Amino acid sequence: MKIKVMIVDDQMLVRSGIKSLLMLSEAIDVVAEASDGEQAIWLIQEKQPDVVLMDIRMPAMSGIDTLQALNQTVLDKPQPPVIMLTTFNDHELVVSALQAGAKGYLLKDVSLETLVDAIECVHKGETLIQPAISERVVKQLSASDSQFESIVELPEFSAKELEILRFMAAGCSNREISAAVYKSEGTVKNYVSTILAKLGVRDRTRAVLKAIEVGLIK
């Protein structure tokens, strides 16, 4: 089954460009396009995409405003994961988007391979952290996120868990980590689940931030 994707961007040329790129992939089916946040909300309800690619900067209703509105909207099905489309200069907005529930972000000039990998990643329930994520974004999100619970006594991490944690911090997907550490993708997924449990967090983004906070990685 193809992954149903919806594109939200106020610029028609950007939407057309992303759609043309995705049409080259046999794994993706673009089921809807929206030019603003308000249109996106009702189209998500109607088309029920598996993944939404959304511009972080839009007039009237930004991508973050749209995401927050979606969080308060009762949908027939669970809200699809949202990947924010951004530029190099959107550090503060990226922080706000992640805090609002975005499952990751991509630069608008991303390659087809990276774009498809990102879509598949969030479709499987994972959180995307691109290697391009800046130290500034990590520090801002870590400093402003009060949702972490204190770990009274830090559990021990094996050398392999720490290795995989560093790959997670670099933004690698389970597939990429699998190839790098010569383990099956299922084994890597189990490692990631163990790491999340030991850190007391629910997703990869917070795992990386928590690991930085407690000094596991730098």
Side-chain angles (χ1 to χ4, degrees), residues 41 44 54 61 63-75 77-82 84 96-103 147 202:
I41 292 173
I44 287 174
M54 187 180 302
M61 196 173 187
I64 297 169
D65 292 337
T66 305
L67 187 54
Q68 291 171 337
L70 278 170
N71 291 336
Q72 300 172 3
T73 302
V74 178
L75 302 176
K77 289 188 177 181
Q79 178 180 316
V82 175
M84 289 294 183
S96 297
L98 292 173
Q99 290 174 326
K103 290 303 181 182
Q147 298 181 39
R202 63 180 182 270

Side-chain angles (χ1 to χ4, degrees), residues 1-215:
M1 296 274 302
K2 291 187 176 183
I3 301 174
K4 297 185 294 182
V5 173
M6 176 175 164
I7 304 168
V8 185
D9 197 297
D10 62 297
Q11 298 183 37
M12 185 179 66
L13 287 177
V14 173
R15 294 198 311 274
S16 298
I18 296 173
K19 182 177 181 179
S20 297
L21 196 62
L22 290 176
M23 285 174 64
L24 299 174
S25 171
E26 296 181 355
I28 306 295
D29 182 18
V30 178
V31 297
E33 299 176 52
S35 58
D36 57 58
E38 186 175 347
Q39 184 184 29
I41 292 173
W42 68 261
L43 270 177
I44 287 174
Q45 179 85 334
E46 179 183 339
K47 300 296 185 179
Q48 297 185 343
D50 298 315
V51 176
V52 177
L53 301 176
M54 187 180 302
D55 184 14
I56 202 168
R57 289 181 179 270
M58 293 187 290
M61 196 173 187
S62 70
I64 297 169
D65 292 337
T66 305
L67 187 54
Q68 291 171 337
L70 278 170
N71 291 336
Q72 300 172 3
T73 302
V74 178
L75 302 176
D76 292 338
K77 289 188 177 181
Q79 178 180 316
V82 175
I83 298 175
M84 289 294 183
L85 302 175
T86 181
T87 66
F88 280 110
N89 298 319
D90 283 337
H91 297 93
E92 293 183 5
L93 289 179
V94 166
V95 172
S96 297
L98 292 173
Q99 290 174 326
K103 290 303 181 182
Y105 76 96
L106 290 171
L107 300 177
K108 286 192 174 182
D109 61 353
V110 69
S111 68
L112 173 62
E113 181 181 6
T114 301
L115 182 57
V116 172
D117 282 347
I119 291 170
E120 292 177 339
C121 173
V122 299
H123 184 243
K124 291 185 293 186
E126 300 175 5
T127 300
L128 173 75
I129 311 174
Q130 260 197 311
I133 190 168
S134 70
E135 182 180 357
R136 179 179 170 188
V137 170
V138 172
K139 285 183 176 179
Q140 281 183 255
L141 188 54
S142 184
S144 62
D145 196 331
S146 60
Q147 298 181 39
F148 293 136
E149 294 181 4
S150 298
I151 300 177
V152 177
E153 185 176 347
L154 190 67
E156 288 189 11
F157 285 77
S158 68
K160 183 59 67 177
E161 287 169 346
L162 291 175
E163 180 185 13
I164 289 175
L165 187 52
R166 284 190 286 271
F167 278 113
M168 289 165 60
C172 297
S173 65
N174 285 353
R175 183 190 305 172
E176 292 168 329
I177 298 174
S178 171
V181 301
Y182 303 104
K183 299 284 186 182
S184 71
E185 194 169 342
T187 299
V188 169
K189 186 175 182 179
N190 290 336
Y191 270 112
V192 172
S193 296
T194 299
I195 290 168
L196 297 186
K198 285 186 174 182
L199 289 172
V201 295
R202 63 180 182 270
D203 59 47
R204 293 165 72 108
T205 302
R206 285 175 171 76
V208 171
L209 298 177
K210 190 65 179 180
I212 293 172
E213 178 185 328
V214 299

